[in-house]
């Protein structure tokens, strides 16, 4: 972990959840240390167990990092990277500023899959992942799970250090996964909001670990960031410090979409997919902070066209309206676009079935959320 001076990266965040920090929830937590000392999957009770790996893992302000596991089928593995904003300068990273544009702790409802719906709603009859082994990667570092630096910021009132340890935290989770899930036939790697940026990056490593598995990747709710302001953020968080060779092959990426393209080259057997609402109000908010006045729908279309032209088998689902992300909410079961239900599209993606892209269509049609009057 390297220290860094503050970077002038400008205003931008991925997947703001407008929050006031809530009280720490009640968890069944199993604490460990080294990966070999952590609880084994086979010993876990049904339902969700929270694991605190310790070591160098950390949330932004030094509180403990934790992740969650739910045992299921041995041949089906679901790894989910949660979202929750980002911070990139002193004012935004300071907890004295409100609202805080990122989630700095693991112990809140937003980072608890027990509190979520969609694919985490085990009681829904149509849930395509109910019986899968599920690993929920909490997010509390303000760096889209990919930071690799402790950075000292100055808010004007105080100096403080943020532990952008997204990569360290994910490393601890994946080390546990590899020790406990030996040979899945299907792996579904998904990320919501900020986690959607991380999903293809880590899917390459997961594909290397499970070369015989069919692996699909879903980026949920981050497909419209198309602005040069992205590049300094990646640099400021330490994206490229000790990064895998494939990430910077040909030079460091200047966009998030370039990470998707390079992931497809590094692991050509991955099936890559994205979901977005055409006018996702969270993405639009932060694009404006970047100085991008273009409406999100146009940027999503441009990014989708670029990815479809360069990634074999790339598929996407664009729904109308302003909501932010799909699979953490029960709208997963309500949406239908071009006659394709969102839950069926996600199921086909996860199970390795044939599928294509669907879109809400024109700007006017995409202004309406599916099912809205």
């Amino acid at each position: 972990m390297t220290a860094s001076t503050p970077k002038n990266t400008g205003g931008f965040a991925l997947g703001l959840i407008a929050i006031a920090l809530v009280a720490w929830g009640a968890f069944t937590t199993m604490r460990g240390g080294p990966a070999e000392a952590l609880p084994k999957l086979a010993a876990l009770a049904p339902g969700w167990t929270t694991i605190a790996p310790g070591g160098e893992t950390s949330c932004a302000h030094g509180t403990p990092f934790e992740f969650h596991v739910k045992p299921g089928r041995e041949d089906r593995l679901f790894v989910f990277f949660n979202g929750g904003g980002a911070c990139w300068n002193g004012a935004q990273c300071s907890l004295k500023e409100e609202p805080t544009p990122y989630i700095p702790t693991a112990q809140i409802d937003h980072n608890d899959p027990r509190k979520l719906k969609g694919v985490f709603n085990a009681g829904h009859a149509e849930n395509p992942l109910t019986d899968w082994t599920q690993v929920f990667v909490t997010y509390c570092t303000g760096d889209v799970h990919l930071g690799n630096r402790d950075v000292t910021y100055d808010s004007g009132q105080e100096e403080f250090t943020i532990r952008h340890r997204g990569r360290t935290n994910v490393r601890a989770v994946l080390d546990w996964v590899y020790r406990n899930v030996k040979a899945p036939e299907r792996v579904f790697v998904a990320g919501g909001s900020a986690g959607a940026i991380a999903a293809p990056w880590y899917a390459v490593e997961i594909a290397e670990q499970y070369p015989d598995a069919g692996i699909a990747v879903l980026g949920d709710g981050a497909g419209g960031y198309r602005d040069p302001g992205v590049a300094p953020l990646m640099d400021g968080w330490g994206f490229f410090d000790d990064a895998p060779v494939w990430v910077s092959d040909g030079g460091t990426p200047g966009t998030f979409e370039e990470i998707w393209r390079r992931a497809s080259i590094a692991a050509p057997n991955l099936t890559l997919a994205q979901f977005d609402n055409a006018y996702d109000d969270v993405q639009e908010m932060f694009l404006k902070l970047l100085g991008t006045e273009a409406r999100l729908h146009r940027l999503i279309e441009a990014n989708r066209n670029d990815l479809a032209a360069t990634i074999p088998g790339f598929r996407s689902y664009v729904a109308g309206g302003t909501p932010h992300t799909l699979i953490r909410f029960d709208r997963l079961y309500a949406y239908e676009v071009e006659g394709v239900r969102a839950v069926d599209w996600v199921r086909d993606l996860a199970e390795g079935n044939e599928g294509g892209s669907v879109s809400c269509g024109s700007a006017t049609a995409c202004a309406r959320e599916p099912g809205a009057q």
Side-chain angles (χ1 to χ4, degrees):
M1 215 39 90
T2 59
S4 170
T5 55
K7 301 244 180 212
N8 181 18
T9 56
F12 181 67
L14 303 167
L16 167 69
I17 308 295
I19 60 165
L21 293 179
V22 298
W24 284 24
F27 296 93
T28 300
T29 303
M30 304 185 75
R31 302 189 181 277
E36 61 272 15
L38 295 177
K40 304 297 189 290
L41 177 63
L44 299 185
W48 289 99
T49 296
T50 302
I51 298 175
E56 293 297 311
T57 66
S58 177
C59 290
H61 293 268
T63 57
F65 170 75
E66 300 172 342
F67 65 99
H68 311 284
V69 178
K70 184 165 78 71
R73 291 173 56 175
E74 294 182 358
D75 64 340
R76 294 290 187 274
L77 171 64
F78 174 44
V79 180
F80 179 76
F81 295 92
N82 200 22
C87 87
W88 58 95
N89 64 39
Q92 290 146 352
C93 292
S94 172
L95 294 182
K96 294 181 179 180
E97 301 291 331
E98 293 183 1
T100 303
Y102 71 110
I103 291 180
T105 181
Q107 296 82 10
I108 64 172
D109 286 356
H110 174 79
N111 270 322
D112 184 357
R114 305 166 186 85
K115 307 295 184 181
L116 302 179
K117 298 295 185 180
V119 296
F120 303 105
N121 183 354
H124 200 289
E126 291 192 278
N127 188 334
L129 306 180
T130 294
D131 60 351
W132 289 48
T133 293
Q134 300 188 17
V135 179
F136 185 100
V137 186
T138 59
Y139 174 52
C140 58
T141 49
D143 57 11
V144 302
H145 293 280
L146 291 168
N148 201 32
R149 294 181 183 175
D150 290 356
V151 181
T152 299
Y153 293 102
D154 188 342
S155 69
Q157 300 181 22
E158 60 175 345
E159 276 195 359
F160 56 92
T161 297
I162 293 294
R163 300 182 181 187
H164 291 304
R165 299 192 183 185
R167 294 240 300 277
T168 297
N169 293 349
V170 174
R171 172 81 278 126
V173 177
L174 292 183
D175 283 350
W176 184 91
V177 169
Y178 300 154
R179 285 177 175 272
N180 287 276
V181 183
K182 297 302 184 181
E185 295 178 12
R186 292 294 308 172
V187 182
F188 186 32
V189 181
S193 191
I197 308 303
W201 180 302
Y202 293 114
V204 173
E205 176 186 327
I206 291 169
E208 293 171 350
Q209 178 69 26
Y210 302 121
D212 297 325
I215 302 177
V217 186
L218 174 62
D220 180 7
Y225 295 111
R226 191 178 180 89
D227 189 281
V230 166
L233 291 184
M234 293 192 288
D235 181 61
W237 287 323
F239 265 40
F240 310 117
D241 298 350
D242 300 318
V245 172
W246 66 266
V247 172
S248 298
D249 189 13
T252 56
T255 67
F256 296 135
E257 264 53 48
E258 180 62 13
I259 293 174
W260 284 80
R261 189 188 71 81
R262 294 187 187 190
S264 74
I265 296 171
N269 292 332
L270 294 175
T271 300
L272 299 175
Q274 292 184 352
F275 170 89
D276 284 284
N277 286 89
Y279 295 102
D280 177 335
D281 52 9
V282 171
Q283 291 192 65
E284 287 211 329
M285 180 188 302
F286 291 105
L287 282 164
K288 287 180 180 177
L289 290 177
L290 269 177
T292 299
E293 294 298 328
R295 294 304 305 275
L296 181 67
H297 183 221
R298 205 167 84 197
L299 302 178
I300 289 172
E301 285 188 322
N303 281 342
R304 294 291 203 272
N305 290 339
D306 288 349
L307 293 177
T310 56
I311 298 177
F314 177 79
R315 65 181 81 169
S316 63
Y317 194 116
V318 182
T322 62
H324 181 54
T325 77
L326 175 72
I327 65 173
R328 298 178 294 186
F329 301 94
D330 276 351
R331 52 179 167 262
L332 169 67
Y333 306 107
Y335 279 5
E336 183 173 328
V337 175
E338 291 189 319
V340 179
R341 299 178 66 225
V343 64
D344 295 333
W345 185 84
V346 170
R347 179 184 293 105
D348 286 342
L349 175 66
E351 289 288 358
N353 300 330
E354 292 293 326
S357 295
V358 298
S359 172
C360 48
S362 67
T364 300
C366 286
R368 298 188 297 273
E369 185 180 359
Q373 300 299 315

